[in-house]
Amino acid sequence: MANQRIRHPISLKQILLFSMLIILVLGVSTTLVSTLIRNDDKNKAIDNNHTINGRTADTVNNVLTNLQNNSFVLFQAQNLSKKINQDLIADYFICNPQVIFISSSQFGFSEDKIFINPVYKEKYPQINEKILNYVKDKKTPGKNTVYEKLNDVLGVRSISCIYEYGDKDSPYYSVLGYSTEALSELMSTGSNNTTILITKDTDILINPDFESRETKYSIAKDFIADLNSKQIDNSQFLVQNQEEGNIYLSIHKIANELYVITSITEKSVYEVINYTTNNIILFSLGVLFVAIIIIRIFSNNITNPIKDLVSASNKIEHGEFELDIKPRTKDEIGLLTSSFIQMAHGLSEREKLMTSFSKFTNKTIAEKAARGELSLGGENRNATIFFSDIRSFTAMSEKMQPNEVVQFLNEYMTKMVNCVEKTHGVVDKYIGDAIMAVWGAPESAGSAEADAYNAVVAALMMRKALYDFNVIRAQKNLPPVKIGCGINSGPVVAGQIGSEQRMEYTVIGDAVNLASRTEALNKPFATDVLITENTYNLIKDKIIVEEMPGVHVKGKTDPIRMFAVINLAGRTNPSTLSEVRKIIGTQAPDLSKVNTDDEEKKYSFQTK
């Protein structure tokens, strides 16, 4: 619960409710503005686009017609003079500064008969050769006037005009180049409307915004072909383009089968209304932001006490029962806060009781008992039972004061019990200096093999803990402590034994008695950890052992095999029983003289 996220806080619900109202008003107002104004703006923009197209078409037509007429006048004057008049040509270029070059079949197309505007000749030194290469390949267009784009040929934005003049008996044709810079500026009708000049073959001659709009107007090609077939001089179309969206086209046909196309995108038509709509949205969002702040301030009176309760519940979940909250209001939330504080006091008392109780019994058992999951009676379990005992403890304790005995046992038991709990075992009881522990009851690690392995691991941990304990004792000139551990696995009866007034959780059965007797055999064998063949068979692949003489038990003919545990499989220190005996400080006995049947078990837990 500490990390649980509140999905629908009260303040959020209030904010969402008010936000929905603002959004509803925003949607209605925006729709009204769009509906009432959008269509009117669209119609005005389309009409304006058509007007611009017609006006631009007249301008372009006049410029191109004057260009052709002026050149025709020049050639007529040259014809009258019967020779090339350089002064007349110079005056022509002064009056027609946008003309790059002019030539005529009347004089031939040799290099000295192609007249180039001095301004362009000076500005572009290599333009002579480019013009010559272009003109010499041209032929009479007949009665049709032909326009071609020269941008790539001359390296400047320009077009060529090829037309025929003269009488029937002696026709001539002229090729002249015209810079489109000034005409492009005339065709630049603004940021929203764009205009181009295109031939009947759909070749673009003039495009004021060449870089960005060259491709866009390719969609007009189909309409030009349609206009040619229907002999329509001008019209308007709505076309769709994947990149630009809807585009409104206005097309005018001018002289020499040229077309002036002016367009405006639907996006730019609605630009003003979209700007107004965006302002309405921004204003509404501003109102919404202010409203959220106001709602937040008022909602804090409700949500802050609730947050205090949530924070307090998180502390309780982590075991902190001393709360620093107080009722902020005198309403229902204030009453809830007071009740919550009382509940925390009750839980604190319960936790103290639980902590004290768990010191007298296993924590797992204490928790089960607190939940009412333990009752008089028992259940059959396959468990591993462990006994440990301090060697010569009676002799040790006789040399110590009573308080020293208790202090020693508490220190020793703490280290040993820690090994049991780390391996998920349960301390069943303390019997003087002896410890009885169980793996597999009341809870198992998942299998009898896992429980047996954990018990052996705990015993080896005790060996290491005892070694470190003895190092400290040696520094204090105290004698070393030696223990023996006996482990057996088998069926037991586990449960609460006692009365309704006082109960004790324990395990009983032959497996328990055999574990007690196994522990007692450590002394004659000079070992510290002995296991029976019952435990060995469960985990023999996981441990290193050395077999010891067996022991007879009631009800069986063959003796029970015994094994001294050396180490876990895969570990090398220690790797032999001799090394173990060096660690625990014992000498190898003569096993042939050890009679295991003379050893009686030290503790009896059932009557046979």
Side-chain angles (χ1 to χ4, degrees):
M1 181 178 178
N3 298 324
Q4 184 177 356
R5 182 180 178 183
I6 300 175
R7 293 187 177 181
H8 308 291
I10 295 175
S11 59
L12 178 61
K13 292 179 181 179
Q14 292 176 327
I15 292 173
L16 289 177
L17 178 61
F18 195 82
S19 299
M20 290 175 64
L21 294 176
I22 294 294
I23 293 173
L24 179 61
V25 173
L26 169 65
V28 172
S29 60
T30 304
T31 302
L32 288 175
V33 171
S34 299
T35 303
L36 296 176
I37 303 177
R38 189 175 293 266
N39 290 333
D40 185 54
D41 283 356
K42 182 185 73 173
N43 294 332
K44 290 180 180 179
I46 294 174
D47 291 341
N48 184 59
N49 186 66
H50 192 63
T51 301
I52 292 174
N53 179 252
R55 185 172 61 247
T56 305
D58 291 339
T59 302
V60 173
N61 186 65
N62 291 335
V63 171
L64 296 180
T65 300
N66 291 334
L67 170 68
Q68 187 172 344
N69 292 337
N70 292 341
S71 63
F72 178 75
V73 171
L74 173 65
F75 293 136
Q76 287 294 92
Q78 294 286 358
N79 187 37
L80 291 174
S81 64
K82 303 298 182 178
K83 64 178 181 178
I84 298 176
N85 189 330
Q86 296 295 341
D87 293 334
L88 192 60
I89 293 174
D91 291 339
Y92 172 79
F93 282 125
I94 293 174
C95 296
N96 299 275
Q98 299 301 322
V99 176
I100 301 175
F101 70 91
I102 187 169
S103 61
S104 173
S105 61
Q106 177 181 355
F107 307 109
F109 294 117
S110 60
E111 184 175 359
D112 59 333
K113 300 297 178 61
I114 299 175
F115 310 116
I116 303 175
N117 191 327
V119 175
Y120 287 92
K121 185 184 296 186
E122 181 180 356
K123 187 175 182 180
Y124 304 101
Q126 298 180 352
I127 201 171
N128 293 19
E129 183 179 353
K130 295 179 181 179
I131 293 174
L132 178 62
N133 292 334
Y134 173 74
V135 172
K136 69 181 181 179
D137 294 331
K138 296 303 171 183
K139 297 181 181 179
T140 177
K143 295 182 180 180
N144 297 321
T145 299
V146 176
Y147 286 90
E148 293 180 352
K149 184 167 64 174
L150 293 181
N151 295 24
D152 297 333
V153 177
L154 303 183
V156 295
R157 299 175 68 172
S158 57
I159 59 174
S160 66
C161 177
I162 308 170
Y163 66 94
E164 187 178 276
Y165 70 94
D167 53 30
K168 295 180 180 180
D169 298 330
S170 57
Y172 303 104
Y173 69 95
S174 171
V175 181
L176 64 89
Y178 180 79
S179 172
T180 60
E181 294 290 341
L183 194 55
S184 294
E185 292 180 3
L186 292 173
M187 295 172 61
S188 298
T189 52
S191 59
N192 292 334
N193 302 87
T194 54
T195 304
I196 65 171
L197 178 65
I198 192 169
T199 69
K200 67 175 182 178
D201 297 323
T202 66
D203 294 326
I204 297 177
L205 296 178
I206 302 176
N207 184 359
D209 195 2
F210 180 80
E211 296 297 332
S212 62
R213 293 170 182 153
E214 178 79 15
T215 304
K216 185 176 73 173
Y217 291 104
S218 63
I219 59 177
K221 293 181 179 181
D222 295 337
F223 296 99
I224 298 298
D226 187 57
L227 288 176
N228 287 330
S229 64
K230 296 180 180 179
Q231 297 183 351
I232 300 175
D233 291 341
N234 60 80
S235 184
Q236 296 184 85
F237 299 93
L238 172 63
V239 297
Q240 292 182 340
N241 181 269
Q242 186 175 3
E243 296 180 0
E244 299 289 338
N246 291 337
I247 301 176
Y248 298 99
L249 293 179
S250 182
I251 302 177
H252 270 76
K253 184 177 181 180
I254 61 176
N256 301 315
E257 296 186 315
L258 299 179
Y259 293 90
V260 176
I261 303 175
T262 305
S263 71
I264 185 171
T265 62
E266 191 175 61
K267 180 180 179 181
S268 61
V269 170
Y270 296 139
E271 185 174 1
V272 175
I273 186 62
N274 289 338
Y275 176 78
T276 304
T277 302
N278 290 336
N279 285 339
I280 294 175
I281 294 174
L282 292 176
F283 176 76
S284 301
L285 291 177
V287 173
L288 178 61
F289 178 75
V290 174
I292 289 175
I293 295 177
I294 296 174
I295 293 173
R296 184 67 175 174
I297 293 173
F298 283 99
S299 64
N300 284 341
N301 292 330
I302 298 176
T303 58
N304 285 342
I306 295 177
K307 288 180 180 179
D308 291 343
L309 292 177
V310 172
S311 177
S313 66
N314 290 337
K315 290 182 178 180
I316 291 175
E317 187 176 354
H318 287 85
E320 299 179 25
F321 301 103
E322 298 298 328
L323 305 179
D324 55 355
I325 61 173
K326 295 180 180 180
R328 296 192 182 191
T329 60
K330 297 182 179 180
D331 53 11
E332 291 83 353
I333 297 180
L335 179 60
L336 177 61
T337 303
S338 298
S339 300
F340 201 87
I341 295 173
Q342 294 298 321
M343 179 192 70
H345 289 324
L347 292 174
S348 177
E349 295 298 325
R350 179 181 178 276
E351 183 67 16
K352 291 178 181 178
L353 180 61
M354 188 70 183
T355 302
S356 300
F357 181 45
S358 62
K359 293 181 180 179
F360 293 95
T361 185
N362 181 267
K363 185 177 181 180
T364 302
I365 297 174
E367 291 175 350
K368 285 181 172 289
R371 294 193 298 265
E373 297 177 3
L374 295 178
S375 59
L376 286 175
E379 58 179 342
N380 294 324
R381 288 270 189 171
N382 282 318
T384 296
I385 303 92
F386 167 93
F387 278 91
S388 70
D389 185 36
I390 300 177
R391 295 286 170 258
S392 305
F393 176 71
T394 302
M396 289 178 58
S397 60
E398 288 177 351
K399 301 176 182 179
M400 302 166 63
Q401 296 297 322
N403 63 320
E404 294 176 341
V405 174
V406 173
Q407 182 179 355
F408 163 74
L409 285 177
N410 287 340
E411 188 176 358
Y412 164 77
M413 294 291 186
T414 298
K415 296 181 180 297
M416 299 300 107
V417 171
N418 185 47
C419 299
V420 174
E421 292 182 346
K422 284 184 177 180
T423 54
H424 311 293
V426 173
V427 175
D428 187 286
K429 60 175 62 67
Y430 303 108
I431 311 167
D433 61 307
I435 300 173
M436 175 183 173
V438 182
W439 283 260
E443 293 182 350
S444 172
S447 64
E449 292 81 1
D451 293 329
Y453 181 75
N454 285 340
V456 173
V457 170
L460 294 178
M461 290 174 63
M462 290 181 183
R463 175 190 290 170
K464 176 64 169 59
L466 187 65
Y467 177 84
D468 296 338
F469 184 49
N470 283 332
V471 170
I472 297 175
R473 288 179 61 83
Q475 295 173 354
K476 299 178 180 179
N477 296 321
L478 297 175
V481 178
K482 300 179 181 180
I483 66 171
C485 304
I487 301 173
N488 180 44
S489 303
V492 297
V493 176
Q496 293 288 87
I497 297 177
S499 64
E500 291 290 348
Q501 287 72 32
R502 188 180 186 280
M503 294 183 289
E504 180 183 40
Y505 186 90
T506 188
V507 294
I508 58 175
D510 290 337
V512 178
N513 294 333
L514 182 56
S516 174
R517 186 172 181 185
T518 302
E519 181 277 316
L521 293 174
N522 279 286
K523 185 175 181 179
F525 289 158
T527 58
D528 63 340
V529 181
L530 280 177
I531 63 174
T532 66
E533 64 176 307
N534 299 327
T535 303
Y536 173 75
N537 289 334
L538 292 173
I539 57 172
K540 57 185 177 182
D541 294 333
K542 298 180 180 180
I543 56 176
I544 302 173
V545 298
E546 183 173 318
E547 187 169 358
M548 310 302 291
V551 59
H552 286 87
V553 297
K554 293 182 179 179
K556 291 190 177 183
T557 304
D558 297 329
I560 298 294
R561 298 167 66 194
M562 293 288 170
F563 299 88
V565 178
I566 298 173
N567 211 334
L568 298 177
R571 299 186 181 180
T572 58
N573 187 20
S575 58
T576 64
L577 186 56
S578 298
E579 293 177 359
V580 172
R581 284 175 175 145
K582 288 182 180 180
I583 294 174
I584 64 177
T586 61
Q587 298 294 326
D590 186 357
L591 296 179
S592 62
K593 296 181 180 180
V594 176
N595 184 1
T596 57
D597 294 334
D598 287 342
E599 294 291 338
E600 296 295 334
K601 63 180 182 293
K602 299 171 65 176
Y603 316 108
S604 179
F605 301 99
Q606 74 173 37
T607 303
K608 296 186 178 179

